[in-house]
Each structure stands twice: as C-alpha cells, then as structure tokens.
Amino acid sequence: MEVTERLGRPSHYKLTTTIMTWLKDDDFGMNLGGSVMRQKEDDIASDGGHTVNIGQMVEAMENNIRQQIDGIYFGKTRDIINGMRSLTSLSQKKNLTAGLSAELAGALSKRKPLE
C-alpha cells in the first residue's frame, strides 16, 4: 500500500495485492498452481484517517479477488475434475470390454474367408 498525501486535495492510494494458490492431489498426480495480482489506485479524502480508507480498499479488493478466484481457478478445476470422473464403475467397464471382445470374436469367426 502506498499513500501520497497532497495538501488541499484528496490523498492518493495505491493498493497492490497478490494471491498465490496451489492445489496438489496425490491420488490423480495433479499439481495446479497460479497467482493473481491486482492493483487499484484511488484518490480519497483522508478526513477519517488513512486507516479507514486503507481498510475499505483492502476489503473491497479482497471481495473482488475472492470472486475472481472462485470463478476462474476453482471453477476451472471443478470442470477438469468432473471431466475426469467416470459414471461407469471399473467392474462395469471390464464387463463391457469383455462382452465387446466376445461379440467381436464371434462376428469374426462367422465371417467368410477372403478368396
């Protein structure tokens, strides 16, 4: 946070925020990380003191970044994880594969040889 006081005019505030996120899932062997950096500048009258102005700017920035992270990073991660999920159990997949293999073998055995 940088504050520049100016005589007779509102003070100039510059807030820089960086959020770093990291998600590690050993079950899927997935590592996902990233960072978000935002900067906001504003001219605010410092009649109530700098602490009040800084607190309001930090709260507003925190809410803004939280919404962005939820929508972008966690939303995208949710999409990826849901895309990796299977609605069919492993035993059902094995049975399906075995049935398909048997059907294919039966169809090939009924086929007339090429002359």
PDB file of all heavy atoms in Angstrom, residues 3-22:
ATOM      1  N   VAL A   3       0.628   5.480   0.017  1.00  0.00           N
ATOM      2  CA  VAL A   3      -0.248   6.632   0.226  1.00  0.00           C
ATOM      3  C   VAL A   3       0.571   7.884  -0.039  1.00  0.00           C
ATOM      4  O   VAL A   3       1.653   8.063   0.520  1.00  0.00           O
ATOM      5  CB  VAL A   3      -0.813   6.668   1.663  1.00  0.00           C
ATOM      6  CG1 VAL A   3      -1.702   7.892   1.844  1.00  0.00           C
ATOM      7  CG2 VAL A   3      -1.576   5.391   1.984  1.00  0.00           C
ATOM      8  N   THR A   4       0.046   8.736  -0.892  1.00  0.00           N
ATOM      9  CA  THR A   4       0.686  10.013  -1.175  1.00  0.00           C
ATOM     10  C   THR A   4      -0.252  11.119  -0.701  1.00  0.00           C
ATOM     11  O   THR A   4      -1.350  11.266  -1.233  1.00  0.00           O
ATOM     12  CB  THR A   4       0.960  10.175  -2.692  1.00  0.00           C
ATOM     13  OG1 THR A   4       1.700   9.054  -3.149  1.00  0.00           O
ATOM     14  CG2 THR A   4       1.715  11.450  -2.970  1.00  0.00           C
ATOM     15  N   GLU A   5       0.187  11.837   0.312  1.00  0.00           N
ATOM     16  CA  GLU A   5      -0.623  12.936   0.824  1.00  0.00           C
ATOM     17  C   GLU A   5      -0.385  14.175  -0.027  1.00  0.00           C
ATOM     18  O   GLU A   5       0.739  14.482  -0.411  1.00  0.00           O
ATOM     19  CB  GLU A   5      -0.275  13.219   2.286  1.00  0.00           C
ATOM     20  CG  GLU A   5      -0.705  12.123   3.228  1.00  0.00           C
ATOM     21  CD  GLU A   5      -0.511  12.503   4.686  1.00  0.00           C
ATOM     22  OE1 GLU A   5      -0.118  13.662   4.972  1.00  0.00           O
ATOM     23  OE2 GLU A   5      -0.746  11.636   5.535  1.00  0.00           O
ATOM     24  N   ARG A   6      -1.490  14.880  -0.327  1.00  0.00           N
ATOM     25  CA  ARG A   6      -1.394  16.091  -1.133  1.00  0.00           C
ATOM     26  C   ARG A   6      -2.152  17.202  -0.416  1.00  0.00           C
ATOM     27  O   ARG A   6      -3.315  17.015  -0.039  1.00  0.00           O
ATOM     28  CB  ARG A   6      -1.970  15.837  -2.527  1.00  0.00           C
ATOM     29  CG  ARG A   6      -1.200  14.738  -3.256  1.00  0.00           C
ATOM     30  CD  ARG A   6      -1.736  14.484  -4.624  1.00  0.00           C
ATOM     31  NE  ARG A   6      -3.066  13.856  -4.539  1.00  0.00           N
ATOM     32  CZ  ARG A   6      -3.672  13.311  -5.569  1.00  0.00           C
ATOM     33  NH1 ARG A   6      -3.111  13.323  -6.759  1.00  0.00           N
ATOM     34  NH2 ARG A   6      -4.859  12.771  -5.433  1.00  0.00           N
ATOM     35  N   LEU A   7      -1.511  18.303  -0.196  1.00  0.00           N
ATOM     36  CA  LEU A   7      -2.127  19.416   0.533  1.00  0.00           C
ATOM     37  C   LEU A   7      -3.329  19.963  -0.233  1.00  0.00           C
ATOM     38  O   LEU A   7      -3.246  20.266  -1.419  1.00  0.00           O
ATOM     39  CB  LEU A   7      -1.111  20.528   0.766  1.00  0.00           C
ATOM     40  CG  LEU A   7       0.058  20.183   1.699  1.00  0.00           C
ATOM     41  CD1 LEU A   7       1.054  21.327   1.759  1.00  0.00           C
ATOM     42  CD2 LEU A   7      -0.468  19.880   3.103  1.00  0.00           C
ATOM     43  N   GLY A   8      -4.450  20.079   0.480  1.00  0.00           N
ATOM     44  CA  GLY A   8      -5.645  20.668  -0.108  1.00  0.00           C
ATOM     45  C   GLY A   8      -6.389  19.756  -1.073  1.00  0.00           C
ATOM     46  O   GLY A   8      -7.388  20.167  -1.646  1.00  0.00           O
ATOM     47  N   ARG A   9      -5.895  18.554  -1.283  1.00  0.00           N
ATOM     48  CA  ARG A   9      -6.544  17.615  -2.210  1.00  0.00           C
ATOM     49  C   ARG A   9      -6.625  16.245  -1.545  1.00  0.00           C
ATOM     50  O   ARG A   9      -5.909  15.972  -0.585  1.00  0.00           O
ATOM     51  CB  ARG A   9      -5.741  17.491  -3.509  1.00  0.00           C
ATOM     52  CG  ARG A   9      -5.672  18.787  -4.279  1.00  0.00           C
ATOM     53  CD  ARG A   9      -5.045  18.660  -5.629  1.00  0.00           C
ATOM     54  NE  ARG A   9      -4.086  17.557  -5.752  1.00  0.00           N
ATOM     55  CZ  ARG A   9      -3.201  17.440  -6.709  1.00  0.00           C
ATOM     56  NH1 ARG A   9      -3.110  18.366  -7.626  1.00  0.00           N
ATOM     57  NH2 ARG A   9      -2.387  16.418  -6.777  1.00  0.00           N
ATOM     58  N   PRO A  10      -7.490  15.372  -2.076  1.00  0.00           N
ATOM     59  CA  PRO A  10      -7.573  14.015  -1.515  1.00  0.00           C
ATOM     60  C   PRO A  10      -6.241  13.268  -1.659  1.00  0.00           C
ATOM     61  O   PRO A  10      -5.481  13.506  -2.600  1.00  0.00           O
ATOM     62  CB  PRO A  10      -8.655  13.338  -2.351  1.00  0.00           C
ATOM     63  CG  PRO A  10      -9.455  14.449  -2.947  1.00  0.00           C
ATOM     64  CD  PRO A  10      -8.492  15.598  -3.113  1.00  0.00           C
ATOM     65  N   SER A  11      -5.965  12.389  -0.714  1.00  0.00           N
ATOM     66  CA  SER A  11      -4.744  11.586  -0.758  1.00  0.00           C
ATOM     67  C   SER A  11      -4.853  10.534  -1.854  1.00  0.00           C
ATOM     68  O   SER A  11      -5.944  10.049  -2.169  1.00  0.00           O
ATOM     69  CB  SER A  11      -4.512  10.892   0.580  1.00  0.00           C
ATOM     70  OG  SER A  11      -4.336  11.840   1.599  1.00  0.00           O
ATOM     71  N   HIS A  12      -3.710  10.188  -2.422  1.00  0.00           N
ATOM     72  CA  HIS A  12      -3.673   9.179  -3.488  1.00  0.00           C
ATOM     73  C   HIS A  12      -3.241   7.844  -2.870  1.00  0.00           C
ATOM     74  O   HIS A  12      -2.191   7.745  -2.237  1.00  0.00           O
ATOM     75  CB  HIS A  12      -2.692   9.595  -4.587  1.00  0.00           C
ATOM     76  CG  HIS A  12      -2.662   8.638  -5.731  1.00  0.00           C
ATOM     77  ND1 HIS A  12      -3.648   8.610  -6.686  1.00  0.00           N
ATOM     78  CD2 HIS A  12      -1.770   7.669  -6.066  1.00  0.00           C
ATOM     79  CE1 HIS A  12      -3.363   7.666  -7.564  1.00  0.00           C
ATOM     80  NE2 HIS A  12      -2.237   7.085  -7.209  1.00  0.00           N
ATOM     81  N   TYR A  13      -4.083   6.816  -3.052  1.00  0.00           N
ATOM     82  CA  TYR A  13      -3.827   5.483  -2.501  1.00  0.00           C
ATOM     83  C   TYR A  13      -3.564   4.513  -3.647  1.00  0.00           C
ATOM     84  O   TYR A  13      -4.260   4.543  -4.662  1.00  0.00           O
ATOM     85  CB  TYR A  13      -5.034   4.980  -1.708  1.00  0.00           C
ATOM     86  CG  TYR A  13      -5.327   5.779  -0.470  1.00  0.00           C
ATOM     87  CD1 TYR A  13      -6.087   6.940  -0.528  1.00  0.00           C
ATOM     88  CD2 TYR A  13      -4.853   5.367   0.762  1.00  0.00           C
ATOM     89  CE1 TYR A  13      -6.361   7.669   0.606  1.00  0.00           C
ATOM     90  CE2 TYR A  13      -5.125   6.093   1.912  1.00  0.00           C
ATOM     91  CZ  TYR A  13      -5.876   7.243   1.818  1.00  0.00           C
ATOM     92  OH  TYR A  13      -6.140   7.961   2.954  1.00  0.00           O
ATOM     93  N   LYS A  14      -2.571   3.673  -3.461  1.00  0.00           N
ATOM     94  CA  LYS A  14      -2.248   2.649  -4.451  1.00  0.00           C
ATOM     95  C   LYS A  14      -2.092   1.320  -3.716  1.00  0.00           C
ATOM     96  O   LYS A  14      -1.184   1.154  -2.903  1.00  0.00           O
ATOM     97  CB  LYS A  14      -0.955   3.000  -5.185  1.00  0.00           C
ATOM     98  CG  LYS A  14      -0.570   2.015  -6.271  1.00  0.00           C
ATOM     99  CD  LYS A  14       0.694   2.500  -6.988  1.00  0.00           C
ATOM    100  CE  LYS A  14       1.122   1.555  -8.082  1.00  0.00           C
ATOM    101  NZ  LYS A  14       2.325   2.044  -8.748  1.00  0.00           N
ATOM    102  N   LEU A  15      -3.001   0.378  -4.015  1.00  0.00           N
ATOM    103  CA  LEU A  15      -3.012  -0.922  -3.355  1.00  0.00           C
ATOM    104  C   LEU A  15      -2.615  -1.992  -4.362  1.00  0.00           C
ATOM    105  O   LEU A  15      -3.179  -2.078  -5.445  1.00  0.00           O
ATOM    106  CB  LEU A  15      -4.412  -1.225  -2.810  1.00  0.00           C
ATOM    107  CG  LEU A  15      -4.650  -2.618  -2.243  1.00  0.00           C
ATOM    108  CD1 LEU A  15      -3.809  -2.844  -0.990  1.00  0.00           C
ATOM    109  CD2 LEU A  15      -6.133  -2.805  -1.925  1.00  0.00           C
ATOM    110  N   THR A  16      -1.619  -2.803  -4.011  1.00  0.00           N
ATOM    111  CA  THR A  16      -1.192  -3.924  -4.842  1.00  0.00           C
ATOM    112  C   THR A  16      -1.376  -5.200  -4.032  1.00  0.00           C
ATOM    113  O   THR A  16      -0.893  -5.295  -2.910  1.00  0.00           O
ATOM    114  CB  THR A  16       0.285  -3.786  -5.257  1.00  0.00           C
ATOM    115  OG1 THR A  16       0.457  -2.523  -5.916  1.00  0.00           O
ATOM    116  CG2 THR A  16       0.697  -4.899  -6.189  1.00  0.00           C
ATOM    117  N   THR A  17      -2.094  -6.164  -4.614  1.00  0.00           N
ATOM    118  CA  THR A  17      -2.391  -7.416  -3.931  1.00  0.00           C
ATOM    119  C   THR A  17      -2.012  -8.580  -4.820  1.00  0.00           C
ATOM    120  O   THR A  17      -2.298  -8.580  -6.015  1.00  0.00           O
ATOM    121  CB  THR A  17      -3.892  -7.507  -3.604  1.00  0.00           C
ATOM    122  OG1 THR A  17      -4.273  -6.366  -2.860  1.00  0.00           O
ATOM    123  CG2 THR A  17      -4.208  -8.753  -2.825  1.00  0.00           C
ATOM    124  N   THR A  18      -1.362  -9.580  -4.234  1.00  0.00           N
ATOM    125  CA  THR A  18      -1.018 -10.803  -4.952  1.00  0.00           C
ATOM    126  C   THR A  18      -1.516 -11.991  -4.141  1.00  0.00           C
ATOM    127  O   THR A  18      -1.253 -12.090  -2.958  1.00  0.00           O
ATOM    128  CB  THR A  18       0.500 -10.941  -5.158  1.00  0.00           C
ATOM    129  OG1 THR A  18       0.968  -9.792  -5.869  1.00  0.00           O
ATOM    130  CG2 THR A  18       0.846 -12.190  -5.940  1.00  0.00           C
ATOM    131  N   ILE A  19      -2.248 -12.874  -4.801  1.00  0.00           N
ATOM    132  CA  ILE A  19      -2.750 -14.096  -4.177  1.00  0.00           C
ATOM    133  C   ILE A  19      -2.130 -15.269  -4.922  1.00  0.00           C
ATOM    134  O   ILE A  19      -2.181 -15.333  -6.149  1.00  0.00           O
ATOM    135  CB  ILE A  19      -4.289 -14.202  -4.277  1.00  0.00           C
ATOM    136  CG1 ILE A  19      -4.969 -12.982  -3.678  1.00  0.00           C
ATOM    137  CG2 ILE A  19      -4.779 -15.491  -3.637  1.00  0.00           C
ATOM    138  CD1 ILE A  19      -4.809 -12.838  -2.199  1.00  0.00           C
ATOM    139  N   MET A  20      -1.540 -16.187  -4.160  1.00  0.00           N
ATOM    140  CA  MET A  20      -0.949 -17.382  -4.770  1.00  0.00           C
ATOM    141  C   MET A  20      -1.760 -18.592  -4.320  1.00  0.00           C
ATOM    142  O   MET A  20      -2.055 -18.738  -3.138  1.00  0.00           O
ATOM    143  CB  MET A  20       0.507 -17.516  -4.366  1.00  0.00           C
ATOM    144  CG  MET A  20       1.331 -16.327  -4.813  1.00  0.00           C
ATOM    145  SD  MET A  20       3.044 -16.440  -4.360  1.00  0.00           S
ATOM    146  CE  MET A  20       3.610 -17.500  -5.656  1.00  0.00           C
ATOM    147  N   THR A  21      -2.126 -19.441  -5.270  1.00  0.00           N
ATOM    148  CA  THR A  21      -2.898 -20.646  -4.956  1.00  0.00           C
ATOM    149  C   THR A  21      -2.125 -21.868  -5.416  1.00  0.00           C
ATOM    150  O   THR A  21      -1.361 -21.821  -6.384  1.00  0.00           O
ATOM    151  CB  THR A  21      -4.269 -20.639  -5.647  1.00  0.00           C
ATOM    152  OG1 THR A  21      -4.075 -20.538  -7.059  1.00  0.00           O
ATOM    153  CG2 THR A  21      -5.109 -19.480  -5.180  1.00  0.00           C
ATOM    154  N   TRP A  22      -2.338 -22.964  -4.704  1.00  0.00           N
ATOM    155  CA  TRP A  22      -1.669 -24.214  -5.041  1.00  0.00           C
ATOM    156  C   TRP A  22      -2.589 -25.359  -4.678  1.00  0.00           C
ATOM    157  O   TRP A  22      -3.113 -25.407  -3.573  1.00  0.00           O
ATOM    158  CB  TRP A  22      -0.351 -24.349  -4.291  1.00  0.00           C
ATOM    159  CG  TRP A  22       0.427 -25.550  -4.720  1.00  0.00           C
ATOM    160  CD1 TRP A  22       0.495 -26.766  -4.102  1.00  0.00           C
ATOM    161  CD2 TRP A  22       1.228 -25.670  -5.886  1.00  0.00           C
ATOM    162  NE1 TRP A  22       1.288 -27.619  -4.803  1.00  0.00           N
ATOM    163  CE2 TRP A  22       1.759 -26.968  -5.912  1.00  0.00           C
ATOM    164  CE3 TRP A  22       1.548 -24.803  -6.918  1.00  0.00           C
ATOM    165  CZ2 TRP A  22       2.585 -27.427  -6.924  1.00  0.00           C
ATOM    166  CZ3 TRP A  22       2.378 -25.267  -7.912  1.00  0.00           C
ATOM    167  CH2 TRP A  22       2.894 -26.547  -7.905  1.00  0.00           C
TER     168      TRP A  22
END
